[in-house]
Amino acid sequence: MKLDDKYIKFFSNNPIKKDESIRVFTKRLSKLEGCPVNSPRSLEKPYKKYRALVAGEELGKKDVATISEEHEGFKIKSKWQNAKGEWLYSYVKDTDEDLLKELKAFKEDFLNSIPKSYSWTVPKVSSDKPTIALEICTPDLHFGKGDVKDLHNKAMESTVQLVTQALAVYNIEKIILPIGNDGLNSEGMSMATTKGTPQEESVPWYESFKSYWNFLVQQIDYLSIIAPVEVLVIPGNHDRERMVYIGEVLTARYENNVNVEIDNEVHPRKYVKYGKVLIGFDHGDIIKGKDLPLIMATEKPSEWADSEFREWHLGHYHKEMIDEFRGVKVRYLPSISVMDTYHLQNGYEQMKCSQAFVWDKNKGLKSILQYNL
């Protein structure tokens, strides 16, 4: 916005008087000596430009920090000049302030909590033991429910114990690690499932995210010293969105680690082919078990044709259930998740345990290992 210097100088030397309207003001100024114009109407437009210029300058001079201090929790909505020439401001509640503070605190805490690589003793490999692929299953952990530190420790303990059992009998050349399956109890600040069902949360949303991610780093670091790890991100009905975020963080973390592969493709189902074995993974909350064999054959026709041993591994129900459809095993896996009020009120008791599956390339499932809490 441009205004001749002669107008700026004139208006600054002749400020508006108390209770003086713009019409009275411009009429009075048009009669003064040195006025750039003779008509009051011709003076109105330059005067409005002058006011706009002054408004910008005054707001620029006003220290933003001072405004924030004077009106904490509010932000400027509009500004105007009264008849005395004083600048006034209207404010509205800054509803984003608390959220912004929370996000900043989460970012700082999250960056400070990024774990270093854990140190583990590399197990000795014996040439006289059969070579297998080991599938470690810890579904439905529901981080955010109960004591997250205790859950972290128990989930890690079960992982180590299952691997120890396997190493006593086998050489492990590959580790299959499905993660997610309601690894988180809710979608975060909503304290609800993806569809909006309210959930009990024992810690803030950022704490549950950080706790689960830290557990996964410890688990993957440990497994990756034993054998290459294929990590499959399986979204659940509680954490369908946040598991994508977890997968992205893990992808960045292990980008340069040749021993870790992260599959975070945004698809509800994942597959692993190992020799003559084909395993499908899904949360199990939507598709019926009897439909899964055809889905597997449709989605992975080449792998289906080249396999003899086919299974689906699902979560969701927190208990072990097994069925078979058209020669394809459908397994619902147990969980070590803690009970909440809803499960207690409805009597949904469960045996808390985690399982690992031992796969032979040519003979299929060799054994199922189990660790009971």
Side-chain angles (χ1 to χ4, degrees), residues 62-267:
K62 181 83 171 176
D63 183 39
V64 176
T66 303
I67 293 174
S68 299
E69 290 173 5
E70 293 174 353
H71 304 275
E72 186 175 359
F74 292 82
K75 59 184 178 182
I76 296 174
K77 180 182 180 181
S78 60
K79 61 184 184 297
W80 68 94
Q81 193 175 30
N82 64 12
K84 299 178 183 179
E86 299 171 334
W87 286 101
L88 304 177
Y89 306 89
S90 67
Y91 300 88
V92 293
K93 181 71 175 175
D94 189 359
T95 54
D96 296 331
E97 183 180 357
D98 292 338
L99 175 59
L100 182 61
K101 288 180 179 178
E102 189 175 9
L103 289 172
K104 286 181 177 178
F106 166 67
K107 178 181 177 181
E108 182 178 353
D109 189 38
F110 182 77
L111 292 175
N112 291 334
S113 70
I114 294 177
K116 306 294 183 182
S117 293
Y118 293 90
S119 298
W120 305 94
T121 302
V122 180
K124 294 182 180 179
V125 178
S126 175
S127 59
D128 60 346
K129 295 178 181 178
T131 299
I132 54 91
L134 183 67
E135 177 191 344
I136 299 288
C137 296
T138 51
D140 294 281
L141 291 175
H142 288 266
F143 268 82
K145 182 170 64 174
D147 188 333
V148 292
K149 290 184 179 179
D150 183 60
L151 179 59
H152 178 148
N153 293 334
K154 287 180 178 176
M156 195 62 215
E157 177 187 348
S158 69
T159 299
V160 173
Q161 292 298 324
L162 289 170
V163 170
T164 301
Q165 291 181 45
L167 288 173
V169 184
Y170 304 103
N171 283 328
I172 304 173
E173 69 169 352
K174 176 186 177 71
I175 295 176
I176 303 164
L177 181 65
I179 65 170
N181 269 319
D182 290 343
L184 291 157
N185 191 48
S186 76
E187 289 290 18
M189 285 191 295
S190 66
M191 296 177 63
T193 65
T194 307
K195 289 186 177 181
T197 304
Q199 296 298 305
E200 290 183 15
E201 293 286 298
S202 60
V203 294
W205 64 271
Y206 50 85
E207 188 65 32
S208 59
F209 186 93
K210 182 180 68 175
S211 299
Y212 184 46
W213 184 70
N214 278 309
F215 158 68
L216 290 172
V217 169
Q218 186 177 10
Q219 186 185 44
I220 294 169
D221 280 359
Y222 168 66
L223 295 174
S224 65
I225 66 165
I226 298 166
V229 185
E230 185 173 355
V231 181
L232 311 164
V233 182
I234 312 299
N237 63 303
H238 283 243
D239 59 2
R240 195 166 300 276
E241 291 181 9
R242 286 216 286 174
M243 276 314 303
V244 176
Y245 311 150
I246 287 282
E248 288 301 300
V249 175
L250 289 175
T251 299
R253 169 80 186 209
Y254 294 102
E255 182 179 7
N256 299 317
N257 190 326
V258 296
N259 244 25
V260 178
E261 178 185 348
I262 309 291
D263 182 356
N264 192 37
E265 181 184 354
V266 184
H267 192 282

Side-chain angles (χ1 to χ4, degrees), residues 272-372:
V272 170
K273 176 77 161 47
Y274 178 70
K276 295 296 182 181
V277 176
L278 179 59
I279 314 166
F281 298 90
D282 184 78
H283 185 53
D285 59 316
I286 298 176
I287 299 175
K288 295 179 180 180
K290 64 182 180 65
D291 296 326
L292 289 170
L294 182 57
I295 290 174
M296 176 181 278
T298 303
E299 293 184 338
K300 295 293 177 180
S302 299
E303 292 82 350
W304 173 277
D306 192 41
S307 62
E308 296 179 17
F309 308 96
R310 309 176 185 110
E311 291 200 6
W312 277 96
H313 289 183
L314 317 169
H316 189 58
Y317 291 104
H318 298 205
K319 63 180 180 180
E320 184 177 19
M321 298 186 292
I322 305 172
D323 211 330
E324 185 172 329
F325 304 96
R326 300 292 181 180
V328 178
K329 285 278 179 66
V330 177
R331 299 181 188 271
Y332 290 87
L333 306 173
S335 169
I336 62 171
S337 174
V338 299
M339 301 284 283
D340 59 14
T341 303
Y342 173 80
H343 288 84
L344 288 171
Q345 288 176 342
N346 288 275
Y348 293 153
E349 298 292 339
Q350 66 184 78
M351 178 181 179
K352 295 180 182 179
C353 64
S354 54
Q355 294 180 333
F357 297 83
V358 177
W359 296 102
D360 182 280
K361 276 186 176 181
N362 300 310
K363 298 180 181 179
L365 184 62
K366 295 283 289 183
S367 62
I368 301 176
L369 309 176
Q370 182 163 303
Y371 179 70
N372 301 321

